[in-house]
Amino acid sequence: MKLGVNIDHIAVLREARKINDPDPIEALGILKRSGADQVTIHLREDRRHINDADAEKIIKMSQLPVNLECSTDSDIIDIVCRLKPHRATLVPEKREEVTTEGGLDIITYEERVIEAIERLQAYEIEVSLFIDPDLEIITRSDALNVEWVELHTGSFANIYAMLYLGLANSHHSIEELELSRHTLRTKLEESLVALKSGADLAASMGLKVAAGHGLNYQNVSEILKIEAIEELNIGQSIVARSVFTGLESAIKEMKALLN
Ligand code: PXP
């Protein structure tokens, strides 16, 4: 299984102080040494983490392929065409959301999506659509002649978190929080069936299949059972864990300077 590591959260930490540190560029060598297969970044319209200069440097300097997530906004597509990453993943984007919620609605926004795909492919950029694991959407994605689909695992991850990790967060509606464990188990099973049937259908049509959103060290084993998925894009859980796995050496280094 290939791993794309989403490094946006490194830039989130930098933006909290509006200084230069930590610079996501420094992660490139670490990703390569650690066996990651791809660097994934999201150039959001509000530039809340990765900015244009980051994206440009990352695409120029990365020895791994870069997967640039972006909306279908035409100004953003202009930038992506100029930067020429290996792949562009079209995602839905709302300014008020904390992270990408739900897959791209390629039915309502078909014209915009087609225009973005055609412009990107004219620059020889592979295109992926970040979509819900819905059979109709997958069939329509295939008709759009994209190379990849990335199946949204957020719904699976939310149910998994409620069932096994005792986590409830602002993404969960009141109705979701009141579900019984039995109902949650059924819903988890349904979400996995949807991901598996979606991945199988996409692969049978010749699409390459990625998946991502909300995957972590606990829930990823369920997704690994789906053979048709060949790549996962994971950000939050890896960066969150790295804070703790790296904290000890960071403190020791400072302490050595102080002594
Ligand atoms: N894939 C896509 C298309 C995304 O938008 C994101 C979040 O930026 C991810 C994967 C990674 O999600 P997470 O940070 O929850 O691992």
mmCIF file of all heavy atoms in Angstrom, residues 42 44 48 91-94 96-105 130 132 152 154 158 170-171 213:
data_model
loop_
_atom_site.group_PDB
_atom_site.id
_atom_site.type_symbol
_atom_site.label_atom_id
_atom_site.label_comp_id
_atom_site.label_asym_id
_atom_site.label_seq_id
_atom_site.Cartn_x
_atom_site.Cartn_y
_atom_site.Cartn_z
ATOM 1 N N HIS A 42 -2.320 20.708 0.491
ATOM 2 C CA HIS A 42 -3.594 21.302 0.079
ATOM 3 C C HIS A 42 -3.405 22.814 0.015
ATOM 4 O O HIS A 42 -3.121 23.449 1.036
ATOM 5 C CB HIS A 42 -4.666 20.934 1.122
ATOM 6 C CG HIS A 42 -6.055 21.339 0.749
ATOM 7 N ND1 HIS A 42 -7.159 20.935 1.465
ATOM 8 C CD2 HIS A 42 -6.542 22.104 -0.252
ATOM 9 C CE1 HIS A 42 -8.252 21.441 0.914
ATOM 10 N NE2 HIS A 42 -7.903 22.161 -0.128
ATOM 11 N N ARG A 44 -5.246 25.739 0.039
ATOM 12 C CA ARG A 44 -6.631 26.188 0.267
ATOM 13 C C ARG A 44 -6.806 27.616 -0.224
ATOM 14 O O ARG A 44 -5.864 28.401 -0.232
ATOM 15 C CB ARG A 44 -6.979 26.102 1.760
ATOM 16 C CG ARG A 44 -7.096 24.678 2.282
ATOM 17 C CD ARG A 44 -7.689 24.680 3.684
ATOM 18 N NE ARG A 44 -9.093 25.031 3.659
ATOM 19 C CZ ARG A 44 -10.099 24.156 3.753
ATOM 20 N NH1 ARG A 44 -9.862 22.877 3.918
ATOM 21 N NH2 ARG A 44 -11.338 24.573 3.709
ATOM 22 N N ARG A 48 -4.734 29.004 4.619
ATOM 23 C CA ARG A 48 -4.606 28.950 6.082
ATOM 24 C C ARG A 48 -3.399 28.136 6.534
ATOM 25 O O ARG A 48 -3.013 28.193 7.678
ATOM 26 C CB ARG A 48 -5.887 28.406 6.720
ATOM 27 C CG ARG A 48 -6.142 26.954 6.441
ATOM 28 C CD ARG A 48 -7.335 26.446 7.214
ATOM 29 N NE ARG A 48 -8.580 26.945 6.677
ATOM 30 C CZ ARG A 48 -9.746 26.319 6.825
ATOM 31 N NH1 ARG A 48 -9.803 25.192 7.511
ATOM 32 N NH2 ARG A 48 -10.849 26.804 6.300
ATOM 33 N N VAL A 91 -10.879 18.763 -4.683
ATOM 34 C CA VAL A 91 -11.642 18.563 -3.443
ATOM 35 C C VAL A 91 -12.682 19.680 -3.318
ATOM 36 O O VAL A 91 -12.497 20.762 -3.860
ATOM 37 C CB VAL A 91 -10.716 18.573 -2.196
ATOM 38 C CG1 VAL A 91 -9.644 17.501 -2.296
ATOM 39 C CG2 VAL A 91 -10.071 19.928 -1.983
ATOM 40 N N PRO A 92 -13.784 19.404 -2.595
ATOM 41 C CA PRO A 92 -14.738 20.483 -2.352
ATOM 42 C C PRO A 92 -14.131 21.396 -1.300
ATOM 43 O O PRO A 92 -13.321 20.952 -0.488
ATOM 44 C CB PRO A 92 -15.957 19.757 -1.786
ATOM 45 C CG PRO A 92 -15.403 18.536 -1.160
ATOM 46 C CD PRO A 92 -14.169 18.159 -1.924
ATOM 47 N N GLU A 93 -14.458 22.666 -1.312
ATOM 48 C CA GLU A 93 -13.869 23.542 -0.304
ATOM 49 C C GLU A 93 -14.862 24.607 0.143
ATOM 50 O O GLU A 93 -15.456 25.293 -0.691
ATOM 51 C CB GLU A 93 -12.625 24.203 -0.889
ATOM 52 C CG GLU A 93 -11.673 24.637 0.178
ATOM 53 C CD GLU A 93 -10.371 25.173 -0.388
ATOM 54 O OE1 GLU A 93 -9.620 24.406 -1.003
ATOM 55 O OE2 GLU A 93 -10.131 26.372 -0.205
ATOM 56 N N LYS A 94 -15.036 24.687 1.452
ATOM 57 C CA LYS A 94 -15.844 25.784 2.001
ATOM 58 C C LYS A 94 -14.944 26.503 2.987
ATOM 59 O O LYS A 94 -14.220 25.877 3.754
ATOM 60 C CB LYS A 94 -17.053 25.220 2.771
ATOM 61 C CG LYS A 94 -18.122 24.641 1.885
ATOM 62 C CD LYS A 94 -19.398 24.420 2.713
ATOM 63 C CE LYS A 94 -20.033 23.090 2.412
ATOM 64 N NZ LYS A 94 -19.838 22.060 3.411
ATOM 65 N N GLU A 96 -15.601 28.106 5.682
ATOM 66 C CA GLU A 96 -15.903 27.980 7.114
ATOM 67 C C GLU A 96 -15.587 26.607 7.692
ATOM 68 O O GLU A 96 -15.594 26.410 8.898
ATOM 69 C CB GLU A 96 -17.373 28.362 7.389
ATOM 70 C CG GLU A 96 -18.429 27.468 6.783
ATOM 71 C CD GLU A 96 -18.738 27.771 5.304
ATOM 72 O OE1 GLU A 96 -17.981 28.522 4.641
ATOM 73 O OE2 GLU A 96 -19.725 27.226 4.809
ATOM 74 N N GLU A 97 -15.275 25.619 6.821
ATOM 75 C CA GLU A 97 -15.061 24.274 7.357
ATOM 76 C C GLU A 97 -13.665 24.161 7.990
ATOM 77 O O GLU A 97 -12.734 24.856 7.593
ATOM 78 C CB GLU A 97 -15.212 23.226 6.247
ATOM 79 C CG GLU A 97 -14.080 23.263 5.249
ATOM 80 C CD GLU A 97 -14.319 22.458 3.969
ATOM 81 O OE1 GLU A 97 -15.371 21.812 3.839
ATOM 82 O OE2 GLU A 97 -13.433 22.503 3.107
ATOM 83 N N VAL A 98 -13.554 23.229 8.976
ATOM 84 C CA VAL A 98 -12.265 23.016 9.631
ATOM 85 C C VAL A 98 -11.368 22.194 8.713
ATOM 86 O O VAL A 98 -10.174 22.427 8.588
ATOM 87 C CB VAL A 98 -12.472 22.262 10.971
ATOM 88 C CG1 VAL A 98 -11.133 21.970 11.642
ATOM 89 C CG2 VAL A 98 -13.361 23.062 11.892
ATOM 90 N N THR A 99 -11.967 21.197 8.066
ATOM 91 C CA THR A 99 -11.235 20.369 7.108
ATOM 92 C C THR A 99 -12.221 19.955 6.028
ATOM 93 O O THR A 99 -13.407 20.292 6.114
ATOM 94 C CB THR A 99 -10.593 19.149 7.808
ATOM 95 O OG1 THR A 99 -9.879 18.380 6.847
ATOM 96 C CG2 THR A 99 -11.625 18.266 8.491
ATOM 97 N N THR A 100 -11.737 19.255 4.992
ATOM 98 C CA THR A 100 -12.610 18.912 3.869
ATOM 99 C C THR A 100 -13.751 17.994 4.327
ATOM 100 O O THR A 100 -13.508 16.893 4.789
ATOM 101 C CB THR A 100 -11.783 18.196 2.770
ATOM 102 O OG1 THR A 100 -10.567 18.898 2.609
ATOM 103 C CG2 THR A 100 -12.549 18.146 1.472
ATOM 104 N N GLU A 101 -14.960 18.491 4.198
ATOM 105 C CA GLU A 101 -16.111 17.711 4.652
ATOM 106 C C GLU A 101 -16.880 17.194 3.450
ATOM 107 O O GLU A 101 -17.369 17.961 2.647
ATOM 108 C CB GLU A 101 -17.037 18.588 5.511
ATOM 109 C CG GLU A 101 -16.419 18.965 6.847
ATOM 110 C CD GLU A 101 -17.116 20.148 7.492
ATOM 111 O OE1 GLU A 101 -18.195 20.536 7.023
ATOM 112 O OE2 GLU A 101 -16.548 20.693 8.441
ATOM 113 N N GLY A 102 -16.973 15.895 3.317
ATOM 114 C CA GLY A 102 -17.725 15.313 2.204
ATOM 115 C C GLY A 102 -16.924 15.337 0.914
ATOM 116 O O GLY A 102 -15.947 16.070 0.773
ATOM 117 N N GLY A 103 -17.343 14.493 -0.018
ATOM 118 C CA GLY A 103 -16.627 14.406 -1.289
ATOM 119 C C GLY A 103 -17.087 15.494 -2.252
ATOM 120 O O GLY A 103 -18.059 16.218 -2.001
ATOM 121 N N LEU A 104 -16.367 15.588 -3.372
ATOM 122 C CA LEU A 104 -16.674 16.589 -4.396
ATOM 123 C C LEU A 104 -18.012 16.240 -5.058
ATOM 124 O O LEU A 104 -18.233 15.088 -5.447
ATOM 125 C CB LEU A 104 -15.540 16.551 -5.433
ATOM 126 C CG LEU A 104 -15.541 17.591 -6.533
ATOM 127 C CD1 LEU A 104 -15.327 18.991 -5.946
ATOM 128 C CD2 LEU A 104 -14.419 17.287 -7.532
ATOM 129 N N ASP A 105 -18.886 17.235 -5.176
ATOM 130 C CA ASP A 105 -20.194 17.008 -5.810
ATOM 131 C C ASP A 105 -20.032 17.207 -7.319
ATOM 132 O O ASP A 105 -20.210 18.303 -7.839
ATOM 133 C CB ASP A 105 -21.212 17.996 -5.222
ATOM 134 C CG ASP A 105 -22.593 17.790 -5.827
ATOM 135 O OD1 ASP A 105 -22.731 16.991 -6.777
ATOM 136 O OD2 ASP A 105 -23.541 18.441 -5.345
ATOM 137 N N PHE A 130 -11.670 13.678 -5.321
ATOM 138 C CA PHE A 130 -11.921 13.242 -3.936
ATOM 139 C C PHE A 130 -13.440 13.124 -3.775
ATOM 140 O O PHE A 130 -14.145 14.135 -3.709
ATOM 141 C CB PHE A 130 -11.346 14.287 -2.983
ATOM 142 C CG PHE A 130 -11.402 13.912 -1.536
ATOM 143 C CD1 PHE A 130 -10.980 12.670 -1.093
ATOM 144 C CD2 PHE A 130 -11.862 14.825 -0.591
ATOM 145 C CE1 PHE A 130 -11.010 12.336 0.260
ATOM 146 C CE2 PHE A 130 -11.893 14.506 0.769
ATOM 147 C CZ PHE A 130 -11.471 13.264 1.188
ATOM 148 N N ASP A 132 -17.142 10.801 -2.452
ATOM 149 C CA ASP A 132 -17.721 9.841 -1.519
ATOM 150 C C ASP A 132 -17.784 8.474 -2.215
ATOM 151 O O ASP A 132 -17.893 8.414 -3.438
ATOM 152 C CB ASP A 132 -19.135 10.292 -1.126
ATOM 153 C CG ASP A 132 -19.070 11.513 -0.220
ATOM 154 O OD1 ASP A 132 -18.176 11.563 0.641
ATOM 155 O OD2 ASP A 132 -19.910 12.420 -0.392
ATOM 156 N N HIS A 152 -13.412 9.117 0.036
ATOM 157 C CA HIS A 152 -13.469 9.832 1.319
ATOM 158 C C HIS A 152 -13.755 8.826 2.431
ATOM 159 O O HIS A 152 -14.812 8.197 2.450
ATOM 160 C CB HIS A 152 -14.587 10.869 1.230
ATOM 161 C CG HIS A 152 -14.477 11.958 2.247
ATOM 162 N ND1 HIS A 152 -14.280 11.707 3.581
ATOM 163 C CD2 HIS A 152 -14.554 13.306 2.127
ATOM 164 C CE1 HIS A 152 -14.239 12.858 4.234
ATOM 165 N NE2 HIS A 152 -14.395 13.842 3.368
ATOM 166 N N GLY A 154 -13.830 9.711 5.638
ATOM 167 C CA GLY A 154 -14.189 10.474 6.835
ATOM 168 C C GLY A 154 -15.374 9.904 7.591
ATOM 169 O O GLY A 154 -15.370 9.847 8.827
ATOM 170 N N ASN A 158 -15.201 8.595 11.389
ATOM 171 C CA ASN A 158 -16.023 9.178 12.464
ATOM 172 C C ASN A 158 -16.759 8.104 13.244
ATOM 173 O O ASN A 158 -16.804 8.128 14.472
ATOM 174 C CB ASN A 158 -17.085 10.117 11.860
ATOM 175 C CG ASN A 158 -16.531 11.507 11.663
ATOM 176 O OD1 ASN A 158 -15.505 11.861 12.227
ATOM 177 N ND2 ASN A 158 -17.213 12.286 10.846
ATOM 178 N N SER A 170 -16.865 17.802 17.086
ATOM 179 C CA SER A 170 -17.875 18.703 16.551
ATOM 180 C C SER A 170 -18.432 18.240 15.201
ATOM 181 O O SER A 170 -19.420 18.754 14.727
ATOM 182 C CB SER A 170 -17.288 20.099 16.399
ATOM 183 O OG SER A 170 -16.121 19.997 15.629
ATOM 184 N N HIS A 171 -17.741 17.244 14.579
ATOM 185 C CA HIS A 171 -18.266 16.758 13.304
ATOM 186 C C HIS A 171 -19.471 15.851 13.516
ATOM 187 O O HIS A 171 -20.184 15.519 12.589
ATOM 188 C CB HIS A 171 -17.204 15.965 12.533
ATOM 189 C CG HIS A 171 -16.008 16.799 12.209
ATOM 190 N ND1 HIS A 171 -16.099 17.950 11.489
ATOM 191 C CD2 HIS A 171 -14.708 16.659 12.535
ATOM 192 C CE1 HIS A 171 -14.896 18.479 11.369
ATOM 193 N NE2 HIS A 171 -14.044 17.723 12.013
ATOM 194 N N HIS A 213 -8.674 10.536 4.654
ATOM 195 C CA HIS A 213 -9.368 11.427 5.576
ATOM 196 C C HIS A 213 -9.712 10.700 6.870
ATOM 197 O O HIS A 213 -10.436 9.717 6.865
ATOM 198 C CB HIS A 213 -10.651 12.040 4.992
ATOM 199 C CG HIS A 213 -10.853 13.439 5.519
ATOM 200 N ND1 HIS A 213 -11.320 13.679 6.775
ATOM 201 C CD2 HIS A 213 -10.578 14.642 4.971
ATOM 202 C CE1 HIS A 213 -11.342 14.990 6.967
ATOM 203 N NE2 HIS A 213 -10.896 15.599 5.901
#
